Amino acid sequence: MADAAKMQVSDEVAIQITGMNKWYGQFHVLRDINMTVQRGERIVICGPSGSGKSTLIRCINRLEEHQQGQIIVDGTELTNDLKNIDKVRSEVGMVFQHFNLFPHLTILENLTLAPIWVRKVPKREAEETAMYFLSKVKIPEQAHKYPGQLSGGQQQRVAIARSLCMKPRIMLFDEPTSALDPEMIKEVLDTMIQLAQEGMTMICVTHEMGFAQAVANRVIFMDQGQIVEQNEPKEFFNNPKSDRTKLFLSQILGH
Amino acid sequence: MSDTHAPTVTFVRDTMLPPVLPPAGERGAIKWMRENLFSSPLNIVLTVLGVLIIWWLISASLPWWLNSVWNAESLSQCREIVAASAGEGATGACWAMIRERWHQFLFGFYPPDQWWRPILALGLLFAALIPVLFSEQKRNLTIVLVAVAVYLLVTLYLAAAPGLPFVLALVLVAGMLALAQVQPGKLIWFTLIYPALCFWLLWGGSIWAPIVAMAGFAVLYLVFRLAAPLIGLAPAAGAGLVAAVLWWLYLEAPVAGGLQSAIPVALQSINSDQFGGFLLAFVIGVTGIIFSLPIGILLALGRQSDMLIVKSLSVGFIEFIRGVPLITLLFTASLLLQYFLPPGTNFDIILRVIILVTFFAAAYLAEVIRGGLAALPRGQYEAADALGLDYWRAQRLIILPQALKISIPAIVSTFIGLFKDTTLVAFVGLMDPLKGVTQIVRADIDWKGIYWEPYIFVGFIFFLICFGMSRYSMYLERKLKTDHR
Amino acid sequence: MALATDVPKDGFRLSMLIYDTRYRSYTIQVVVLVLFAMAVAWLLNNTAQNLAARGKEFNFGFLWQRAGYDIGQQLIPYSNDSNHFRALLVGLLNTLAVAFWGCILATVVGVVVGVLRLSNNWLISRLMTVYVEAFRNVPVLLWILLSYVILSETTPQPRDFKVTDEMVAAGTEPAASMILFDTVAVTNRGTNIPAPLFDRGLGTLDLGFMTLNLTFWAVVVVILGSIFVNRRLLASARAKQEATGDRPVTWWKSILILFAPVIALLVALGFHLEIPALKGFNFQGGILVAHSFTALLIALALYTAAFIAEIVRAGIQAISRGQSEAAFALGLRPNRTMSLIILPQALRVIIPPLISQYLNLTKNTSLGIAVSYLDLRGTLGGITLNQTGRELECMLLMMLIYLTLSLIISVVMNMYNKSVQLKAR
């Protein structure tokens, strides 16, 4: 497995978040988030449930709206302008906890839908791309089945391939393995590691600490809507600074 | 069992046991009867009751069916024939009435020499539906088109259709058949012109009226295409709409009139009061079904919308329509519409009824589709958003296909309800097959006092159609079940 | 928070109305509202012009004019000297009467049929399937017309019931006889049923705008009181069970509380039935129920029952076998499993569509027009409308009344739905 440090990180900024705040009604879910992601960087966000980590990455492609501060993705600022939102969404891929494949479409149709309708790619070309990515996630033989006929791990790999078909420059992973059975987690993680080695900019919300140690440049620990600590994986796991981090790590690594 | 009594705990089976049949009492008809008819005292009582009911039904009605009379001039003649053949006091069905009046149940007072027109319209309806139902599946398209051709061949011959339309109709179907082999996607054009064609076939008159009316849509499209690059999509659509309305208001009548005087092509004009029977039920039912679906979808989306005004208007419309009986809406069509429209407007009663029936069905469909929309997990909306699909594309490609599929059984039962409810048009003076035509038949001195036969006849046809529709929806539901293993 | 920078405020551009998520929805809503207002204004303007052209005005004064027509079935006193408003009330009560009895009858038949369809008795479940499919797939109008025709054309004339001296001498039976222990006579003029009479009735109380039948209300009050006391009894039984673990036996107390007081009251008031009897060429005494009512009731009840049967069946089937197995595994007995596990879940599935069937039945009572039953549509939307020529007012008022009925039923349904919704995240 490649060492994280060896993978190259460019100086170019992919995502810039400054002073971002978000509320659900009275509840302050994200508090003064500042964060810069370089192109090619792989960031793992962890933290207890309800700490706002999912909300944070959902803000990055505007599935959630932030109320204060600035989010700039690939040079496009996320404002209320629909054109900007469309632009960011076509640049940023997202993988969900519950896969969210479209059950009424075959795997191949799931993969070609957005390229055809959003990117306006010709159908044949879209299908070729789709098959390429399906073989990359190692399930080209499932192309004509329906999502319901696949196992959870296969579905999640299809979901990853579906995002990749849009040729995104940034990938967001929202707890991609937490809805999976243990024996399927590995196949999904392998796919993600492969993606990381190819230099994709990735932000993953996950509790897979092995994955974090293997590929992440940075681990961000969040609690109560704030970034509590961030560090290189080695330092983060071996020498956590904050008491909250220590407590969290002892809970998830303790058993 | 004996194996386990072996002296030691260790046990290894050396010969496998072959399967054997269950004991005699556990198989065959005896077992079936014991399980399905006589499994408990309560079941025995129920079975006996069931047999009694069936016996009573058969003994009460069998002689009546067996003594059926098919050839008679009047009810009293029927009774004489029954009395002569089966003895005094015997009962017998008088199907002679159906034999003499079947055409009124099917066509109302539509002139007999023009019957080929509704027949042709019905056949072409299926040809127009298939591009929507099967999109580009060549095999299904071919099967249905061949069936339509055979249907037309037989029925048009029976209805003694004049030669020219007969040949034209067959040429049309043959052309569609050829097109289905080459470019099945193009068949949708026939679906688009079908409404005008159907209207012209049924009501007759100059062919130019429907053509010029359809040309309004062409005007809309043309203006839209020309203006879109200049002023943007939404304003261009508005401009196209205005142009089309202007076309319909001011140019349609003179253009149609001019064309008719230049190239006169016309069918004998048929008045709405000559429509009746199942022809009327079909015209109202099918039009209502087709137009209510898009309106219902829009209303459902409106009701699910975040926009308060759109939502409240949709809710208001849906709840109002669902809160009042259909009959009051029909009376609105016949009594009140004249108050709401500009003074002097007076259009056809069938059309007015269709409009209200469409609204009625749309409100019910909206609720059904809303159920389907609500059943979809939020993740589907989010995934569509994350892929960058906009609202309408997300709805069309992701949300609606799934929501509609979930709601197929409920949508079809709404359609069945609508078709059954077409009988209510009798109360605004139209001649529906159930009350309207039956009343006319019973008013005839020859058939005064007949009641079982017309109701059984009409009820049987309704049953066939509605039961068929519900079975088809069940089949469709099973076929479309892709999200389960 | 010091670092927070707001979205840079650039100048407002017109394109932001469409492409900015903040304004987009307002733009659309304003457009929709303007279009809607224009449509309403256009309709109102047309209506005003049309009314003026016909020389009519829009007011409801006609409701207080003399109606001048008779209504066969009247649940409150009415004569042709009463005003149109009174006729409206009579019609509304007739609508409600069919709806009320129809819902009860349909529920009873529907539940029985729905349960029998699930029975493992092959013959019975098939028979019930035939019934359900036959009624669901044929217009309800057919059942109404058919029931009416059968009732009015196949039933005997009153004189067929006559027993003459010659018949007694010859030992022959009359052509027709009364049913249900000689208390009900079905003739071609209607159904004669026994009337409840009180020897020592409480009389009536005149409140000026309406009169109260004290006997009737006394019975209602006593029944409601018994139900209330019974609920208290069950509540105290439950409290005892929760406190001590023992549940006291309550069924015989319940029966006593529910039935003894009302029977005592009826005896005290001298309750008896007046059985109709043939006098001359007609039945006298008792209550004559018109065939239009009976036919409408039977047809609507049987038709709706077919739908209710399907709802009940689906509701019971929706509870997975796992639920009852889990309950049995916990050691609950079948009847407790039914009342604690299956029924609460099945009802959650059954009640909402059931209520919408009640709503349908109530609206379908307007089909009484087919058999000339004078319900709300027959009085207000029929004779009153034709006599006064007030189409707009009558139709609007009638729709409003139906709408109110529907809304009341939906409000009840929503309240129920809220109370039983599964608590889930």
Side-chain angles (χ1 to χ4, degrees):
Chain A
M1 205 165 289
D3 187 11
K6 277 187 207 146
M7 286 180 253
Q8 64 169 54
V9 175
S10 84
D11 294 342
E12 196 188 329
V13 174
I15 302 172
Q16 167 96 47
I17 302 178
T18 19
M20 193 255 278
N21 281 274
K22 175 173 176 59
W23 290 264
Y24 283 137
Q26 296 293 308
F27 180 60
H28 200 170
V29 267
L30 290 178
R31 308 179 191 175
D32 193 25
I33 304 288
N34 289 288
M35 172 177 169
T36 308
V37 181
Q38 311 291 339
R39 165 125 4 260
E41 231 186 334
R42 295 156 307 276
I43 294 179
V44 164
I45 304 178
C46 59
S49 73
S51 61
K53 45 195 196 311
S54 285
T55 315
L56 172 60
I57 71 164
R58 288 156 64 88
C59 280
I60 295 176
N61 69 349
R62 197 64 172 200
L63 284 181
E64 305 273 355
E65 206 169 312
H66 62 283
Q67 280 110 2
Q68 229 173 41
Q70 228 182 357
I71 302 179
I72 301 176
V73 181
D74 249 354
T76 310
E77 179 175 355
L78 277 171
T79 60
N80 291 305
D81 194 327
L82 274 181
K83 288 181 202 155
N84 286 358
I85 297 173
D86 285 343
K87 183 149 183 278
V88 167
R89 280 181 178 163
S90 58
E91 297 293 331
V92 178
M94 181 153 186
V95 175
F96 297 86
Q97 179 180 5
H98 295 289
F99 332 134
N100 294 353
L101 294 178
F102 305 129
H104 63 305
L105 303 175
T106 62
I107 301 302
L108 193 62
E109 287 165 345
N110 261 285
L111 265 61
T112 54
L113 180 109
I116 290 175
W117 289 93
V118 180
R119 282 240 192 275
K120 322 271 185 212
V121 174
K123 190 174 178 203
R124 181 177 295 270
E125 196 181 311
E127 282 179 352
E128 279 165 12
T129 319
M131 287 314 292
Y132 169 75
F133 283 113
L134 271 187
S135 17
K136 201 156 167 186
V137 299
K138 304 195 178 64
I139 35 176
E141 72 282 359
Q142 313 282 11
H144 296 285
K145 288 194 181 160
Y146 284 92
Q149 297 167 306
L150 268 54
S151 75
Q154 290 173 323
Q155 290 195 40
Q156 192 60 296
R157 283 185 281 154
V158 169
I160 295 175
R162 179 174 74 179
S163 300
L164 291 177
C165 282
M166 287 292 281
K167 308 270 174 66
R169 308 185 66 181
I170 300 166
M171 286 284 285
L172 308 175
F173 291 84
D174 186 2
E175 307 205 20
T177 54
S178 30
L180 296 177
D181 293 339
E183 72 269 23
M184 293 171 180
I185 292 181
K186 188 173 175 303
E187 59 187 57
V188 171
L189 285 183
D190 284 347
T191 312
M192 289 167 64
I193 290 170
Q194 190 192 354
L195 204 57
Q197 285 164 347
E198 287 166 10
M200 174 66 79
T201 313
M202 296 166 69
I203 303 182
C204 313
V205 172
T206 182
H207 291 156
E208 296 297 330
M209 291 308 143
F211 172 77
Q213 278 170 328
V215 300
N217 306 83
R218 239 193 304 166
V219 180
I220 293 179
F221 173 67
M222 287 184 71
D223 194 15
Q224 296 181 358
Q226 310 155 53
I227 297 182
V228 173
E229 183 168 350
Q230 56 171 315
N231 214 331
E232 293 199 342
K234 225 171 252 172
E235 273 296 294
F236 180 85
F237 290 111
N238 299 338
N239 192 9
K241 306 280 188 307
S242 133
D243 292 339
R244 291 185 176 283
T245 318
K246 286 175 193 160
L247 180 67
F248 176 72
L249 286 177
S250 73
Q251 279 166 344
I252 64 165
L253 300 174
H255 51 87
Chain B
M1 280 298 264
S2 60
D3 292 343
T4 52
H5 290 288
T8 56
V9 205
T10 343
F11 161 68
V12 177
R13 183 182 292 285
D14 42 15
T15 51
M16 303 304 282
L17 298 176
V20 290
L21 288 173
E26 292 295 315
R27 55 191 148 111
I30 299 170
K31 171 174 184 258
W32 184 89
M33 279 175 55
R34 220 180 52 210
E35 272 186 0
N36 292 301
L37 295 177
F38 305 108
S39 62
S40 68
L42 176 67
N43 256 337
I44 296 175
V45 173
L46 284 177
T47 304
V48 172
L49 261 177
V51 170
L52 281 179
I53 291 174
I54 294 173
W55 170 249
W56 177 76
L57 281 177
I58 290 180
S59 65
S61 65
L62 196 63
W64 185 79
W65 287 97
L66 288 180
N67 297 337
S68 294
V69 176
W70 285 92
N71 271 317
E73 309 265 283
S74 68
L75 186 61
S76 48
Q77 202 182 348
C78 262
R79 291 192 175 137
E80 280 163 23
I81 295 173
V82 171
S85 65
E88 205 63 38
T91 57
C94 186
W95 301 113
M97 185 279 295
I98 305 292
R99 195 186 154 95
E100 191 172 295
R101 296 300 190 96
W102 63 270
H103 52 88
Q104 277 183 344
F105 284 102
L106 295 192
F107 297 106
F109 288 124
Y110 211 87
D113 58 338
Q114 304 292 322
W115 284 346
W116 61 271
R117 283 159 52 178
I119 288 174
L120 180 58
L122 179 67
L124 293 183
L125 172 68
F126 286 98
L129 277 181
I130 44 165
V132 183
L133 293 182
F134 301 121
S135 58
E136 304 198 354
Q137 306 165 19
K138 275 184 201 164
R139 199 169 145 265
N140 287 341
L141 291 177
T142 313
I143 293 174
V144 177
L145 282 174
V146 168
V148 167
V150 172
Y151 158 85
L152 286 180
L153 211 59
V154 174
T155 51
L156 287 183
Y157 173 75
L158 288 178
L164 185 63
F166 199 143
V167 173
L168 278 182
L170 290 180
V171 167
L172 178 66
V173 177
M176 288 183 71
L177 206 50
L179 195 60
Q181 310 308 318
V182 199
Q183 280 183 310
K186 293 265 188 289
L187 281 179
I188 197 82
W189 284 102
F190 180 71
T191 311
L192 293 179
I193 60 165
Y194 177 77
L197 179 63
C198 176
F199 176 82
W200 180 62
L201 276 176
L202 290 177
W203 273 272
S206 158
I207 192 174
W208 298 108
I211 288 182
V212 175
M214 288 298 270
F217 290 104
V219 169
L220 197 165
Y221 180 72
L222 215 64
V223 172
F224 173 73
R225 281 306 292 267
L226 290 177
L230 302 175
I231 53 175
L233 292 182
L241 206 61
V242 170
V245 169
L246 289 178
W247 171 271
W248 285 320
L249 282 183
Y250 298 109
L251 284 175
E252 184 184 335
V255 171
L259 281 169
Q260 172 64 18
S261 50
I263 315 165
V265 180
L267 282 172
Q268 180 187 335
S269 181
I270 312 281
N271 266 336
S272 280
D273 54 9
Q274 287 171 289
F275 282 63
F278 279 98
L279 169 62
L280 184 69
F282 265 91
V283 168
I284 295 174
V286 172
T287 335
I289 286 172
I290 288 173
F291 287 108
S292 64
L293 195 56
I295 302 179
I297 290 174
L298 285 182
L299 282 173
L301 291 179
R303 193 169 187 167
Q304 291 289 83
S305 156
D306 300 328
M307 294 184 251
L308 184 68
I309 293 174
V310 175
K311 189 186 166 100
S312 9
L313 286 181
S314 307
V315 171
F317 181 85
I318 294 171
E319 291 303 329
F320 171 72
I321 299 270
R322 282 163 49 89
V324 299
L326 175 57
I327 224 174
T328 61
L329 293 176
L330 292 176
F331 277 112
T332 305
S334 75
L335 294 174
L336 290 196
L337 228 46
Q338 47 174 336
Y339 282 99
F340 297 144
L341 295 174
T345 332
N346 191 16
F347 59 98
D348 194 82
I349 177 73
I350 294 187
L351 195 56
R352 281 187 272 165
V353 163
I354 285 178
I355 292 175
L356 268 295
V357 164
T358 306
F359 284 165
F360 182 75
Y364 278 82
L365 275 181
E367 279 304 273
V368 161
I369 295 169
R370 182 173 76 115
L373 288 174
L376 282 192
R378 272 216 63 75
Q380 293 292 314
Y381 293 85
E382 288 179 353
D385 277 352
L387 287 174
L389 295 171
D390 64 26
Y391 177 80
W392 289 108
R393 280 193 192 136
Q395 293 297 342
R396 187 155 66 85
L397 299 169
I398 308 295
I399 308 301
L400 283 177
Q402 299 185 62
L404 290 180
K405 197 168 78 182
I406 303 174
S407 359
I408 281 180
I411 290 178
V412 174
S413 51
T414 310
F415 286 165
I416 293 176
L418 172 66
F419 186 62
K420 288 188 294 181
D421 282 344
T422 57
T423 50
L424 303 196
V425 301
F427 300 118
V428 292
L430 291 174
M431 212 188 343
D432 81 301
L434 185 55
K435 187 169 161 66
V437 175
T438 306
Q439 212 162 25
I440 289 171
V441 169
R442 275 159 55 89
D444 187 335
I445 191 82
D446 283 345
W447 304 110
K448 198 169 156 38
I450 196 165
Y451 50 94
W452 280 110
E453 292 85 349
Y455 291 133
I456 287 178
F457 177 68
V458 175
F460 180 69
I461 296 182
F462 266 108
F463 179 83
L464 276 188
I465 295 169
C466 298
F467 188 71
M469 280 205 306
S470 75
R471 289 290 130 153
Y472 182 71
S473 93
M474 284 159 118
Y475 158 79
L476 213 58
E477 199 191 347
R478 272 199 307 276
K479 209 181 107 186
L480 290 175
K481 226 181 222 172
T482 50
D483 48 345
H484 296 284
R485 276 157 194 265
Chain C
M1 228 49 83
L3 284 170
T5 52
D6 273 342
V7 181
K9 303 255 187 303
D10 44 12
F12 179 81
R13 296 182 312 276
L14 211 56
S15 70
M16 285 172 77
L17 284 181
I18 297 179
Y19 292 114
D20 193 301
T21 47
R22 279 169 300 177
Y23 307 121
R24 185 187 173 85
S25 76
Y26 291 108
T27 317
I28 297 174
Q29 299 197 56
V30 167
V31 169
V32 168
L33 195 63
V34 167
L35 286 178
F36 178 70
M38 278 164 63
V40 169
W42 184 69
L43 290 179
L44 287 180
N45 179 38
N46 286 339
T47 312
Q49 283 186 14
N50 280 315
L51 282 175
R54 287 174 169 80
K56 290 180 178 176
E57 53 182 357
F58 186 80
N59 76 55
F60 288 91
F62 68 92
L63 283 176
W64 314 110
Q65 293 166 5
R66 181 176 176 273
Y69 59 89
D70 289 308
I71 301 178
Q73 175 184 318
Q74 30 190 278
L75 300 179
I76 53 173
Y78 170 88
S79 74
N80 56 15
D81 276 335
S82 311
N83 57 25
H84 285 294
F85 184 71
R86 188 80 179 171
L88 181 162
L89 283 184
V90 174
L92 179 60
L93 283 176
N94 285 349
T95 292
L96 291 177
V98 177
F100 176 77
W101 291 112
C103 287
I104 292 180
L105 204 57
T107 311
V108 172
V109 178
V111 169
V112 169
V113 171
V115 171
L116 285 183
R117 264 198 91 177
L118 287 174
S119 132
N120 51 9
N121 187 312
W122 181 86
L123 186 71
I124 290 292
S125 71
R126 288 306 144 100
L127 261 182
M128 293 306 142
T129 310
V130 169
Y131 159 73
V132 168
E133 295 295 351
F135 271 80
R136 283 203 314 170
N137 288 306
V138 170
V140 61
L141 187 58
L142 185 142
W143 299 116
I144 296 175
L145 291 171
L146 195 59
S147 334
Y148 184 69
V149 168
I150 293 175
L151 277 176
S152 51
E153 300 206 4
T154 62
T155 47
Q157 294 182 330
R159 65 157 182 264
D160 292 340
F161 289 80
K162 198 156 196 117
V163 185
T164 53
D165 292 339
E166 297 90 67
M167 278 181 180
V168 178
T172 52
E173 294 284 312
S177 57
M178 294 170 73
I179 54 173
L180 287 181
F181 309 108
D182 278 353
T183 56
V184 174
V186 184
T187 73
N188 61 352
R189 299 185 189 179
T191 308
N192 298 77
I193 60 167
L197 283 187
F198 296 92
D199 289 339
R200 299 173 289 278
L202 295 174
T204 56
L205 182 64
D206 197 350
L207 293 178
F209 60 95
M210 62 184 293
T211 47
L212 288 183
N213 185 339
L214 285 179
T215 318
F216 172 76
W217 287 107
V219 172
V220 170
V221 166
V222 166
I223 290 176
L224 288 179
S226 308
I227 292 174
F228 177 73
V229 173
N230 185 46
R231 286 180 67 110
R232 293 294 300 274
L233 174 77
L234 292 178
S236 76
R238 191 173 311 125
K240 183 147 187 275
Q241 184 185 17
E242 279 164 10
T244 66
D246 274 336
R247 189 181 172 88
V249 178
T250 55
W251 61 267
W252 61 270
K253 288 185 202 155
S254 283
I255 291 178
L256 210 62
I257 290 174
L258 284 178
F259 294 101
V262 69
I263 291 174
L265 178 72
L266 289 178
V267 170
L269 292 175
F271 173 81
H272 64 269
L273 288 175
E274 185 194 34
I275 295 174
L278 194 63
K279 299 259 172 65
F281 292 108
N282 238 327
F283 277 91
Q284 300 285 320
I287 299 171
L288 176 66
V289 182
H291 281 325
S292 56
F293 175 84
T294 321
L296 192 60
L297 178 68
I298 292 177
L300 285 180
L302 288 182
Y303 179 78
T304 313
F307 288 86
I308 293 180
E310 279 302 275
I311 292 168
V312 169
R313 183 175 74 112
I316 295 177
Q317 277 181 334
I319 311 305
S320 65
R321 181 181 289 260
Q323 290 290 310
S324 47
E325 282 175 355
F328 291 149
L330 287 171
L332 286 174
R333 299 243 300 284
N335 59 344
R336 285 266 174 255
T337 302
M338 196 63 174
S339 66
L340 296 176
I341 309 291
I342 308 293
L343 269 187
Q345 297 187 61
L347 285 183
R348 198 192 329 256
V349 185
I350 290 173
I351 299 267
L354 185 67
I355 292 184
S356 85
Q357 284 304 325
Y358 290 165
L359 199 58
N360 282 346
L361 193 149
T362 308
K363 288 188 287 175
N364 277 341
T365 55
S366 58
L367 295 182
I369 182 179
V371 289
S372 309
Y373 180 65
L374 284 183
D375 62 345
L376 180 65
R377 201 226 55 84
T379 55
L380 175 67
I383 305 177
T384 296
L385 185 151
N386 287 334
Q387 281 189 0
T388 60
R390 303 283 188 159
E391 293 111 342
L392 208 54
E393 292 91 335
C394 287
M395 292 294 297
L396 286 181
L397 192 59
M398 182 167 70
M399 285 186 171
L400 205 66
I401 294 173
Y402 277 118
L403 203 56
T404 314
L405 284 182
S406 307
L407 287 183
I408 292 173
I409 297 180
S410 337
V411 166
V412 172
M413 174 161 78
N414 287 342
M415 271 163 37
Y416 174 82
N417 276 351
K418 282 237 169 58
S419 71
V420 299
Q421 233 161 32
L422 268 189
K423 303 292 179 284
R425 241 157 72 102

